[in-house]
Amino acid sequence: MSTETAVRRGEGAGPASPEARRAARREGWSRRLPLLPALIFTIIVTQIPFAMTIWYSLRSWNLLRPDGETFVWFQNFVDIFADSTFRGAAVNSILITLGCVFASLILGTLFAILLDREFLGRGIVRTLLITPFLIMPAATSMLWSVSMLNPSFGLLNWVIGLVGIGPIDFTSQLPLFSVIMALVWQWTPFMMLLILAGLQAQPKDVLEAASLDGAGWGKTFLFVTLPQLRRYIELSVLLGAIYVVNTFDQIYLMTAGGPGTASANLPFYIYQRAFLGFDVGQAAAMGVVTVIATIIIATFALRLIFRSFDVKD
């Protein structure tokens, strides 16, 4: 007798029998068992290192003073919150993430609207627009710092020189803006692909109905297309923020966190404290704070996204 039959018989006669419950439990475990190796692997590569990071964050451990390792409880967390450089790096992380995500989202939406229409050479244009996302971050950083933003022979300085503006050393005078430009160039294709998926998923009969009712392109986009894209926009913002907040390559190769620490974000400052300052305890405490803050923000964002998916169209 199958488990479903036993459960149906149990439902008809009141509470399920112990045998039916045990059979249902065994069937549930048989379905979960193939996923157990993946779960164990995930715990080993994520949770155990995070637990060790928490352990290191509670100790005063500087590699230059190996004999001075002591258990200091939460003193490292008190010290990093009192560190003005850490607070500045946190603000830079927020500015870089917000600037990159929203600029990429706007440009990606415009390009997605363009690619949603039929025109000659659309396949070639789509390939060219996706290409920046396929380039390695290190190559992107060198491309922008040398070919685009160099004050002597950079393309951007040549363009602004045509209108009489003198050369600007972007990576020194505008370090955050320089990093954001490189990140926007890299992440706009990602946003474009997600928004384009939303545009192509919207019902065509609804668009035709709006056209028959006399709605122009602007009203159709504002009242029909934009609500349809809401869940895709939320997903784009969430994924983009999770990826961009971990930016390291562009800052390391374009500005090295400078001038001083003017463009350092949290990952880069953690790197400096761990591998240049050799302060493992405080670097671990910074990592724990960063992970916890990211988890909290991502949890609220995921709840918002899941709530929008649960709403019936």
Side-chain angles (χ1 to χ4, degrees):
M1 181 176 59
S2 65
T3 305
E4 288 80 7
T5 304
V7 172
R8 284 197 297 269
R9 291 184 179 179
E11 290 176 352
S17 64
E19 292 80 5
R21 290 197 296 270
R22 283 194 294 270
R25 193 178 299 113
R26 284 195 300 270
E27 184 176 353
W29 276 108
S30 66
R31 293 177 179 176
R32 299 186 188 99
L33 192 60
L35 301 176
L36 191 59
L39 177 61
I40 295 175
F41 177 78
T42 302
I43 292 174
I44 291 175
V45 300
T46 61
Q47 302 309 308
I48 293 179
F50 184 61
M52 293 300 298
T53 304
I54 295 176
W55 169 257
Y56 291 140
S57 70
L58 302 177
R59 303 181 67 82
S60 175
W61 183 17
N62 192 306
L63 297 180
L64 298 178
R65 300 187 301 273
D67 297 334
E69 182 180 354
T70 57
F71 198 74
V72 294
W73 291 94
F74 299 103
Q75 186 60 43
N76 284 327
F77 294 92
V78 175
D79 292 339
I80 64 172
F81 281 112
D83 184 4
S84 60
T85 306
F86 175 78
R87 296 195 301 269
V91 172
N92 288 341
S93 295
I94 296 173
L95 294 176
I96 292 173
T97 302
L98 293 180
C100 172
V101 169
F102 286 109
S104 300
L105 181 62
I106 293 173
L107 292 175
T109 302
L110 295 176
F111 290 141
I113 294 173
L114 171 66
L115 293 179
D116 192 45
R117 299 172 177 270
E118 292 284 348
F119 60 90
L120 182 63
R122 185 173 67 165
I124 298 176
V125 173
R126 180 187 298 151
T127 302
L128 292 176
L129 290 176
I130 294 174
T131 299
F133 187 63
L134 306 178
I135 299 177
M136 293 182 297
T140 299
S141 305
M142 298 306 298
L143 172 68
W144 275 86
S145 61
V146 176
S147 300
M148 299 293 293
L149 303 179
N150 188 279
S152 299
F153 50 81
L155 179 61
L156 191 56
N157 273 297
W158 177 78
V159 172
I160 64 177
L162 296 177
V163 294
I165 301 177
I168 301 174
D169 190 354
F170 285 93
T171 55
S172 296
Q173 300 176 14
L174 302 169
L176 279 182
F177 183 67
S178 302
V179 172
I180 291 174
M181 280 195 296
L183 289 172
V184 168
W185 183 79
Q186 181 182 5
W187 286 100
T188 294
F190 176 78
M191 301 293 186
M192 179 192 70
L193 291 175
L194 289 177
I195 301 301
L196 182 60
L199 289 173
Q200 295 181 348
Q202 61 182 342
K204 302 302 180 183
D205 55 344
V206 177
L207 298 177
E208 294 175 358
S211 177
L212 292 175
D213 289 339
W217 181 88
K219 290 185 177 180
T220 301
F221 179 80
L222 185 62
F223 297 106
V224 178
T225 303
L226 197 58
Q228 166 73 18
L229 293 178
R230 175 188 169 186
R231 59 191 64 178
Y232 296 92
I233 293 174
E234 292 172 350
L235 184 61
S236 302
V237 171
L238 174 62
L239 295 179
I242 291 175
Y243 288 126
V244 174
V245 77
N246 295 310
T247 297
F248 179 83
D249 305 70
Q250 284 81 0
I251 293 176
Y252 181 79
L253 293 173
M254 293 181 64
T255 66
T261 57
S263 60
N265 64 347
L266 287 177
F268 185 81
Y269 188 52
I270 292 172
Y271 157 79
Q272 285 186 318
R273 295 303 297 268
F275 297 102
L276 299 180
F278 302 104
D279 197 333
V280 177
Q282 288 199 6
M286 294 178 189
V288 171
V289 171
T290 303
V291 170
I292 292 176
T294 304
I295 290 175
I296 292 174
I297 295 173
T299 299
F300 284 106
L302 284 172
R303 288 183 178 179
L304 179 63
I305 292 175
F306 291 151
R307 189 178 299 116
S308 67
F309 272 92
D310 289 337
V311 176
K312 295 182 178 179
D313 294 329

